[in-house]
Amino acid sequence: MTTGRRSPALAWLAVLPMAIALSATGRAGDLALGEYLSAECVTCHQISGRQVAGIPAIIGLPEEAFVAMMDSYRRRERENQVMQAMAVRLSSEEVAALAAYFGSLKPSQ
């Protein structure tokens, strides 16, 4: 006889995909927002995923690494005036969205 209650294991399986999608900020990044915001980023960072003229590739970068990198620019621990200015303008939600978007892309061959 069924009581209509889910087992705790089944409940966990239902939320597991969302838990996996969480970024280092504790919130899942919004891919659509990340794609929208990325237009400014790809003026310097190649959408192909290649490093050009000393500008590092960010395509395919793990979300946690992207967020940590942007946070280090915000705290001025990483030296680059352009990136420091860019990072300080972005909210945590926007950084998470960019991290999700760039992390979802694969470098072209």
Side-chain angles (χ1 to χ4, degrees), residues 34-52 55-61 98 101-109:
E35 183 176 12
Y36 173 75
L37 295 171
S38 73
E40 196 167 8
C41 302
V42 298
T43 59
C44 295
H45 297 274
Q46 299 295 305
I47 195 72
S48 66
R50 295 187 186 102
Q51 179 173 333
V52 177
I55 299 171
I58 56 176
I59 301 298
L61 193 64
L98 285 166
Y101 176 68
F102 286 122
S104 73
L105 301 176
K106 303 295 178 233
S108 61
Q109 297 298 333

Side-chain angles (χ1 to χ4, degrees), residues 30-82:
D30 180 335
L31 284 173
L33 176 60
E35 183 176 12
Y36 173 75
L37 295 171
S38 73
E40 196 167 8
C41 302
V42 298
T43 59
C44 295
H45 297 274
Q46 299 295 305
I47 195 72
S48 66
R50 295 187 186 102
Q51 179 173 333
V52 177
I55 299 171
I58 56 176
I59 301 298
L61 193 64
E63 290 181 50
E64 295 81 14
F66 186 94
V67 171
M69 178 181 61
M70 294 301 285
D71 285 345
S72 66
Y73 281 121
R74 283 179 172 168
R75 294 186 302 265
R76 301 195 183 284
E77 295 168 352
R78 289 181 74 122
E79 301 235 357
N80 185 299
Q81 290 180 343
V82 172

Side-chain angles (χ1 to χ4, degrees), residues 7 10 15-16 44 48-49 99:
S7 79
L10 289 177
V15 298
L16 185 59
C44 295
S48 66

Side-chain angles (χ1 to χ4, degrees), residues 5-22:
R5 293 176 48 187
R6 290 184 178 170
S7 79
L10 289 177
W12 174 246
L13 288 175
V15 298
L16 185 59
M18 181 59 90
I20 291 171
L22 292 179

